[in-house]
Amino acid sequence: SQQGEEDPQALSIQEGENATMNCSYKTSINNLQWYRQNSGRGLVHLILIRSNEREKHSGRLRVTLDTSKKSSSLLITASRAADTASYFCATDLIQGAQKLVFGQGTRLTINP
Amino acid sequence: GAGVSQSPSNKVTEKGKDVELRCDPISGHTALYWYRQSLGQGLEFLIYFQGNSAPDKSGLPSDRFSAERTGGSVSTLTIQRTQQEDSAVYLCASSFRLAGWADTQYFGPGTRLTVL
């Protein structure tokens, strides 16, 4: 089963509203990262949060991490049409795989 | 500096033919990754290089798939005797992965492979 599971799989909101996406994982991590993908091409790194951090901000992005619940959330405030994309969480595991493990992604659509 | 580049950007081939996909990572990045993404799906890990060696090739779907990396830089992913189910976007990423560093990956634009 997937290490990272995003929820919801798809989200559609009106421009200006806030969008929240969640990610759950199963094993202990060094850090968790969020990536964005436009139009099925290369992913772009958005933000990294370390296992000893609880919250991090970058512009309109806010990421939280709850290691006790093994979950993270990505909040995009004041959404814009250009935020329409797929968003993936990726976990950097303490043990096991020597690579980031990506979830299946949340498809976000911002309606004008 | 230049990002990760991949070539070709699109490849259409006939079933049974061999294809080679190329990835040029960011200069100095020690780690290189290949992923596959089918339409509307998540990323499927294929293989990971650290330098020229591949400590993890667990994601290669069959022995028709192989990859190599030379000079700690360019990598090629080869698919022999292509099948229609190989149709997907093949993404390459690189990172400056050293002990104690977070493995933030930088992705190329991908190669869209279509097998007819």
Side-chain angles (χ1 to χ4, degrees), chain B residues 15-96:
Chain B
K15 179 181 173 181
K17 296 285 179 75
D18 298 350
V19 295
E20 272 193 3
L21 312 180
R22 177 187 168 107
C23 173
D24 281 89
I26 292 173
S27 178
H29 276 191
T30 58
L32 186 147
Y33 307 80
W34 283 99
Y35 298 91
R36 179 168 74 171
Q37 187 177 35
S38 301
L39 186 63
Q41 301 298 308
L43 270 70
E44 177 187 2
F45 167 79
L46 297 178
I47 188 170
Y48 151 60
F49 287 93
Q50 183 69 28
N52 291 335
S53 63
D56 188 347
K57 54 180 78 170
S58 61
L60 295 178
S62 75
D63 58 7
R64 296 187 295 105
F65 287 72
S66 63
E68 65 174 11
R69 188 180 186 196
T70 55
S73 181
V74 172
S75 176
T76 55
L77 176 69
T78 301
I79 309 173
Q80 296 178 310
R81 305 180 303 282
T82 53
Q83 303 294 313
Q84 289 183 331
E85 60 262 29
D86 299 335
S87 296
V89 175
Y90 288 81
L91 293 164
C92 174
S94 70
S95 70
F96 187 59

Side-chain angles (χ1 to χ4, degrees), chain A residues 2 31 33 35 37 39-45 48 50 88 92-93 97-100 102-105, chain B residues 9-10 33 35 37 41-43 45 48 56 58 89 91 97 102-105 107-112:
Chain A
Q2 292 290 330
N31 62 75
Q33 305 179 35
Y35 287 77
Q37 183 181 38
S39 304
R41 288 304 202 177
L43 280 70
V44 175
H45 179 258
L48 178 152
R50 299 186 186 281
F88 294 85
D92 195 353
L93 306 182
Q98 296 293 309
K99 60 184 183 287
L100 287 182
F102 286 84
Q104 292 298 301
Chain B
S9 57
N10 287 283
Y33 307 80
Y35 298 91
Q37 187 177 35
Q41 301 298 308
L43 270 70
F45 167 79
Y48 151 60
D56 188 347
S58 61
V89 175
L91 293 164
R97 188 177 183 96
D103 185 27
T104 297
Q105 297 186 13
F107 281 79
T111 293
R112 186 178 299 278

Side-chain angles (χ1 to χ4, degrees), chain A residues 9-75:
Chain A
Q9 292 186 345
L11 179 63
S12 181
I13 62 174
Q14 294 301 120
E15 194 167 20
E17 294 180 339
N18 296 340
T20 299
M21 289 158 275
N22 302 297
C23 170
S24 60
Y25 58 92
K26 294 182 171 60
T27 58
S28 297
I29 61 172
N30 286 314
N31 62 75
L32 185 146
Q33 305 179 35
W34 284 91
Y35 287 77
R36 167 194 165 122
Q37 183 181 38
N38 289 83
S39 304
R41 288 304 202 177
L43 280 70
V44 175
H45 179 258
L46 294 177
I47 194 165
L48 178 152
I49 186 163
R50 299 186 186 281
S51 59
N52 61 353
E53 298 176 311
R54 293 296 168 260
E55 188 171 312
K56 206 160 182 180
H57 296 254
S58 176
R60 294 184 296 113
L61 305 181
R62 173 182 166 237
V63 169
T64 62
L65 179 64
D66 187 333
T67 53
S68 66
K69 295 181 179 178
K70 291 186 169 58
S71 68
S72 173
S73 68
L74 171 67
L75 168 68

